[in-house]
Amino acid sequence: MPANTKPLTALPPAPHGAQRIDCGSAPLPDKATPAVAAPAKPTTPLLAQGAYLARAGNCMGCHTARGGTPFAGGRPIETPFGTVFSSNLTSDAATGIGGWSSADFWQAMHDGRSKDGRLLNPAFPYTSFTQVTRADSDALFAYLQTLPPASQPNTAHALRWPFGTQSAMAVWRALYFTPGVYQADAARSAEWNRGAYLVRGLGHCGSCHTPRNALGASNSGFDLAGGMIPMQNWYAPSLMSSLEAGVADWSPQDIAALLKTGVSPRGSAAGPMAEVVRNSTQYLSSEDLGAMTGFLKSLPATPEAPRAEQAAQSAPSVAVPGIGAKLYETHCAQCHGNRGEGVRGAYPPLAQNRGVTLSDTSNLVQMVLYGGFAPATEGNPRPFGMPPFVLQLNDKSTAAVLTYIRNAWGNKASQVTELEVNRARGPHAR
């Protein structure tokens, strides 16, 4: 931080006529790439519904390469088995889906098969999209057909043998996939069922928030119970744990604010979740946000006592002032406060912050090394962010300051090791 930096005590007013600054975690276009016109605004109810569903599913997030044409594919998605490249969803007949029918598209969404019957790689989350109704699939397809055609051939996946073979896909599907449209729970309200449909289906929240096994399949027995996002070194916290990202004790207003703006009095979105809010959930209707809120609040809580006791036992016995405290005073206190109290609406408090005391320290290390912003949204167009310290703090210093933070001001959590920090500096950490 500059030597003349002063701590922020209150949010400054937005300058008159200030323009929105899109500085979230989503990739920025290359400067050399010419600007691409946005898809035309839908003109019929069916197309408007399809455009809305494309937002809800964050389709453009994966199907747009850095600096590329929206929905034209080509974005590399790293997996433990190699690199998968997203496909072209524009209306180009030769390289996109312009030659597809609504039945072909439904086959891809519902059954994970391309138009020619080829089995699709599950990096395309058809395991969640299979719950999407035929009507929604048809609306989404109708909208995609209105996208300007972009002649961009699909890039072949670069997967290690045998993971890219159709035989391997067939075995994987036999073990882990059964097609099936969402079945409403008659004992629940229509609003709750809508929320479950969005979270488990089109929103595919479980793709990140559910742990995966050695073959990359989501562990259905721990649905939404938290897990590492493959190859990104970010941990998607459990949506059922009060020690992680469970929201059973949050107000509906705070949950909706987090999904709509990326920030709320109870927490803020960062890393991959910031991209989801920026590209997807901020555009959802208040009715759908309310439905998702109700569903998330109803998730059964997971037992916490054993984990809490384990964290307490593994925590340092005394958080004495030392190198960690001095590093905090030098680099952190001017934003987060001398006692970790933060600044409301700008810099989150670190005291009694469950994001700070998570048993998995990946997210903390990522934020300190590489920084991050809450998403730029209509409700929070000028987000305050965390500067990167990757060039200022070595592994030992990063571990020391995080261990101090995790055990100061009433926090109680395990130490951060130099090995954990070093792992985040690896080639797949970002």
Side-chain angles (χ1 to χ4, degrees):
M1 300 290 290
N4 63 348
T5 299
K6 296 181 179 180
L8 178 69
T9 57
L11 289 175
H16 179 70
Q19 294 183 342
R20 168 174 169 165
I21 303 173
D22 286 325
C23 47
S25 64
L28 296 175
D30 296 329
K31 291 183 180 180
T33 303
V36 178
K41 186 176 181 179
T43 56
T44 69
L46 178 67
L47 296 180
Q49 180 190 3
Y52 179 82
L53 295 171
R55 288 284 199 186
N58 194 19
C59 304
M60 191 170 70
C62 284
H63 289 273
T64 304
R66 181 181 176 88
T69 302
F71 294 97
R75 178 174 177 175
I77 301 170
E78 293 187 74
T79 78
F81 316 104
T83 304
V84 173
F85 293 88
S86 59
S87 57
N88 187 341
L89 296 184
T90 72
S91 60
D92 186 68
T95 64
I97 58 173
W100 288 34
S101 67
S102 59
D104 296 330
F105 188 76
W106 165 251
Q107 179 175 263
M109 292 283 286
H110 180 68
D111 196 41
R113 292 177 179 271
S114 187
K115 177 184 178 181
D116 59 6
R118 177 176 49 86
L119 302 178
L120 299 175
N121 188 286
F124 171 65
Y126 61 80
T127 52
S128 296
F129 292 164
T130 188
Q131 298 193 47
V132 172
T133 64
R134 178 63 189 267
D136 279 351
S137 175
D138 287 351
L140 179 56
F141 175 73
Y143 167 70
L144 294 176
Q145 290 294 288
T146 68
L147 298 177
S151 180
Q152 179 170 305
N154 292 322
T155 304
H157 301 326
L159 296 168
R160 299 194 309 276
W161 189 89
F163 301 111
T165 66
Q166 288 291 285
S167 298
M169 287 294 95
V171 172
W172 191 93
R173 289 164 58 95
L175 292 172
Y176 304 118
F177 175 62
T178 302
V181 175
Y182 177 77
Q183 299 295 320
D185 185 342
R188 299 282 192 169
S189 68
E191 182 184 46
W192 184 94
N193 277 289
R194 175 65 175 176
Y197 172 75
L198 289 170
V199 170
R200 297 190 186 280
L202 193 60
H204 59 285
C205 303
S207 294
C208 290
H209 289 277
T210 300
R212 295 178 179 272
N213 62 23
L215 292 178
S218 297
N219 191 328
S220 58
F222 295 91
D223 189 31
L224 303 179
M228 288 296 297
I229 303 176
M231 312 306 291
Q232 294 191 37
N233 208 35
W234 281 93
Y235 175 72
S238 169
L239 299 181
M240 298 186 291
S241 169
S242 62
L243 294 180
E244 297 194 3
V247 293
D249 62 338
W250 286 32
S251 71
Q253 295 76 18
D254 286 345
I255 302 171
L258 180 65
L259 295 174
K260 186 71 174 178
T261 69
V263 294
S264 82
R266 299 295 297 269
S268 59
M273 188 61 198
E275 185 175 348
V276 171
V277 174
R278 181 179 184 270
N279 293 337
S280 178
T281 59
Q282 71 161 312
Y283 299 101
L284 296 184
S285 66
S286 57
E287 293 78 12
D288 278 348
L289 288 174
M292 293 175 69
T293 292
F295 172 74
L296 292 172
K297 280 183 67 68
S298 75
L299 291 174
T302 54
E304 306 297 0
R307 285 189 55 185
E309 292 172 2
Q310 183 180 12
Q313 292 171 1
S314 60
S317 57
V318 182
V320 297
I323 183 174
K326 292 185 181 299
L327 287 167
Y328 179 84
E329 181 182 0
T330 301
H331 299 290
C332 315
Q334 45 192 325
C335 291
H336 293 285
N338 292 327
R339 299 190 57 80
E341 69 273 20
V343 176
R344 184 178 178 85
Y347 308 121
L350 303 180
Q352 306 300 304
N353 184 328
R354 62 183 182 177
V356 169
T357 57
L358 273 174
S359 58
D360 191 299
T361 63
S362 301
N363 299 353
L364 271 181
V365 174
Q366 287 272 34
M367 289 294 288
V368 170
L369 291 182
Y370 304 109
F373 277 82
T377 60
E378 184 177 354
N380 184 41
R382 300 167 61 237
F384 287 79
M386 172 82 174
F389 289 92
V390 66
L391 298 180
Q392 295 171 268
L393 301 178
N394 60 23
D395 293 354
K396 182 177 181 179
S397 296
T398 303
V401 70
L402 285 178
T403 296
Y404 170 76
I405 291 170
R406 283 165 62 84
N407 290 278
W409 322 299
N411 292 340
K412 201 171 190 63
S414 60
Q415 300 185 55
V416 178
T417 67
E418 292 181 47
L419 178 61
E420 290 171 318
V421 178
N422 186 263
R423 255 199 315 260
R425 295 181 189 265
H428 301 297
R430 294 296 292 162

